[in-house]
Amino acid sequence: MSLPSPLTAGAEEASGRRANVLVTVLAFTGIAVALVQTLIIPIIPHLPEYLDAPASDAAWALTATLLCGAVATPVMGRLGDMYGKRRMLLVGVAVLVVGSVICALSESLAPMIVGRALQGLANGVIPLGVSILRDEVPAERLPVSTAVMLGSLGVGGALGLPGSALIADAFDWHVLFWASAVLGAVAFLLVALFVPESKARSGGRVDLTGAVGMAVGLVCLLLAVSKGTDWGWGSGTVLGLLAVALIVLPAWGWFELRTAQPMVDLRASAHPQVLFTHLAGLAFGFALFALNLVLPQVLQLPKATGHGLGESLVTAGLAMAPQGLVMMAVAPLSARVTRTRGPRATLMIGAVVVGVGYLLIMGMMSATWTLMLASCVVAMGVGFGISSLPTLVMNSVPVSATAAANSLNALMRSIGTTTSSAVAGVLLAQMTIDFHGVEVPSENGLRAVLAIGVGSAAVALAVASLIPRPRPDAVGAPSETLVKPSGVGPSANADQGP
């Protein structure tokens, strides 16, 4: 048996070091972006006072981030495939920094909403980072690298709540956004220094009509869903938004199918492996919100309610922090399953573990430590599930369409989470108890939301079982190109192999 030469071994070692640095930089960038989502939560009750605005208007500081993030994610993915993923990654992080600075300087509602909207535009950074990994990381290391990158979402989200609560208690609230700006600036510098630009580009022109149509349809749909409980599901505003969405989105789809270089390649998305992966992402996103909604309420509701644990916001945040660490910790295990059994099996295991975790929470709500333990089981399933989705997508599309396909899958998860939030909100609004003159969620209402999480995990499992099995040599392989994007001829991809 021949032994590797010193030159070969040295080259492999150098390649491994570069891959480690790349994954570390992208994971740090993901954490910086994920922190933005939870950064504002501790100060939400105080925003009307800070910004001298009604509570209903101050809520737009959250809604603006949601809407802009939903629109920006697929657009940034498509532009990344066209003009360079690193370039768009830098744009996304730069916008995050600008948005954070605007929020840090805000004393009124209007600039705060503008800043939060800009922060939301950075949501496309995560799928762009995953797509860069496909271009730069060796095939055998791609599953674990992807799992670590997506685990940064959990770390950023879990650490952001207690961290921001501590900062808000100890300092002026503006410090939260200055901290976000500093993290974003560090991430920008690291990306500029250590992330290479991909040579795999699809080229083409920007589909402005498709981008505008998608933006209008998504904003109307998500605005109606996210504000339905506050505005009333039967109100003219909500019904009007839903009507516009039902008209615009089908018309947009019709237009995209007839465009040579669409903003979203619906033909490629109709391929069974891509379609069922996106549907599984939608179901998985729907299942995840139960954890983020139920745990903080159970932890912070007064003990006198009979089902609350009476913890402070900081303690509740610290109790939820281990979830993110668990998501990151299971990355090597989920990657091993992906390599040996395929990403489809990893997704199915994740769905099962999430469902079991929710069942455990339903039976372990009486103490903080048992709730933490059960929530970590859910986090383990989340780590398995979301790490497998990009791999399934990347096994099904060319390198030149990776960012767009990953971004669309991220959008589907976001739509699932937003819809789940609306359903849970309606449910909890109907299932309340009177606590000293204040309506608070009942124990049955919280259990019903957890039951929805179990059902959603079961749906995700069923949909995942319908995903066609890839060829054995396609598992995690970045060279797999099962689906050719619309408008890309043979010559366009001739030099875009691995």
Side-chain angles (χ1 to χ4, degrees):
M1 182 178 66
S2 62
L3 297 176
S5 67
L7 289 177
T8 302
E12 291 179 352
E13 184 178 351
S15 176
R17 285 197 299 268
R18 286 194 298 270
N20 289 337
V21 170
L22 179 64
V23 173
T24 301
V25 169
L26 292 176
F28 177 83
T29 305
I31 291 173
V33 172
L35 281 170
V36 170
Q37 307 305 316
T38 54
L39 184 73
I40 200 173
I41 291 177
I43 64 171
I44 286 177
H46 307 289
L47 279 181
E49 174 190 349
Y50 293 155
L51 303 175
D52 191 23
S56 58
D57 292 341
W60 281 97
L62 279 175
T63 306
T65 308
L66 165 71
L67 298 179
C68 289
V71 173
T73 298
V75 172
M76 287 183 67
R78 174 61 176 148
L79 294 178
D81 284 332
M82 292 173 62
Y83 301 119
K85 303 177 186 70
R86 174 182 178 272
R87 180 177 299 176
M88 293 309 302
L89 185 66
L90 288 170
V91 169
V93 178
V95 169
L96 170 67
V97 174
V98 173
S100 298
V101 171
I102 291 175
C103 290
L105 296 173
S106 296
E107 297 291 347
S108 59
L109 182 61
M112 172 65 79
I113 292 177
V114 171
R116 289 290 293 170
L118 291 174
Q119 287 183 322
L121 294 178
N123 280 12
V125 162
I126 303 293
L128 281 170
V130 172
S131 302
I132 290 172
L133 290 176
R134 182 189 189 183
D135 296 340
E136 303 297 333
V137 173
E140 65 275 9
R141 300 188 58 173
L142 184 58
V144 69
S145 300
T146 301
V148 169
M149 175 68 193
L150 290 172
S152 67
L153 283 171
V155 173
L159 297 182
L161 184 59
S164 56
L166 289 170
I167 292 174
D169 284 344
F171 305 98
D172 180 81
W173 65 273
H174 294 89
V175 175
L176 291 172
F177 296 101
W178 286 120
S180 173
V182 170
L183 284 175
V186 173
F188 183 93
L189 180 62
L190 292 174
V191 170
L193 291 176
F194 298 108
V195 177
E197 184 58 89
S198 171
K199 297 179 181 178
R201 302 186 188 182
S202 62
R205 62 176 183 82
V206 178
D207 177 19
L208 289 177
T209 304
V212 172
M214 180 183 65
V216 172
L218 281 178
V219 167
C220 290
L221 175 63
L222 294 177
L223 190 56
V225 170
S226 62
K227 291 291 189 180
T229 302
D230 296 333
W231 294 346
W233 289 100
S235 67
T237 301
V238 171
L239 293 177
L241 288 170
L242 289 174
V244 172
L246 290 174
I247 294 171
V248 170
L249 288 176
W252 167 78
W254 180 88
F255 176 83
E256 293 292 271
L257 288 172
R258 286 157 178 77
T259 301
Q261 296 172 339
M263 179 59 64
V264 177
D265 193 344
L266 296 180
R267 284 194 176 86
S269 298
H271 186 276
Q273 186 161 341
V274 182
L275 174 63
F276 287 119
T277 300
H278 287 334
L279 292 177
L282 180 69
F284 218 82
F286 198 95
L288 299 186
F289 191 78
L291 184 67
N292 297 326
L293 179 66
V294 171
L295 254 66
Q297 301 218 43
V298 174
L299 287 167
Q300 294 180 77
L301 281 172
K303 291 184 178 180
T305 61
H307 56 278
L309 298 176
E311 304 287 3
S312 67
L313 176 63
V314 173
T315 303
L318 290 172
M320 296 177 66
Q323 298 171 27
L325 302 179
V326 167
M327 285 180 61
M328 187 73 79
V330 301
L333 180 58
S334 64
R336 182 176 181 180
V337 174
T338 296
R339 284 195 302 267
T340 56
R341 304 296 300 273
R344 176 176 174 270
T346 309
L347 177 59
M348 295 175 72
I349 291 172
V352 170
V353 174
V354 167
V356 170
Y358 280 136
L359 291 174
L360 289 175
I361 291 176
M362 293 172 71
M364 302 171 70
M365 295 170 59
S366 59
T368 301
W369 74 270
T370 57
L371 202 57
M372 288 174 60
L373 184 63
S375 68
C376 284
V377 175
V378 177
M380 185 182 301
V382 173
F384 267 76
I386 66 171
S387 68
S388 63
L389 289 169
T391 305
L392 283 163
V393 169
M394 290 187 292
N395 284 348
S396 309
V397 299
V399 175
S400 59
T402 300
N406 273 330
S407 297
L408 182 58
N409 190 262
L411 173 63
M412 296 300 286
R413 294 199 307 271
S414 177
I415 291 175
T417 301
T418 304
T419 306
S420 174
S421 170
V423 172
V426 171
L427 192 62
L428 292 181
Q430 301 300 318
M431 303 179 71
T432 62
I433 59 172
D434 182 86
F435 182 70
H436 300 309
V438 178
E439 296 292 323
V440 299
S442 67
E443 183 175 3
N444 287 336
L446 294 171
R447 291 183 182 277
V449 174
L450 291 171
I452 290 176
V454 175
S456 302
V459 172
L461 175 64
V463 175
S465 69
L466 299 176
I467 299 174
R469 295 178 183 273
R471 296 197 303 267
D473 61 345
V475 176
S479 60
E480 186 65 26
T481 56
L482 300 181
V483 182
K484 181 186 292 184
S486 297
V488 178
S491 60
N493 284 325
D495 297 319
Q496 294 175 354

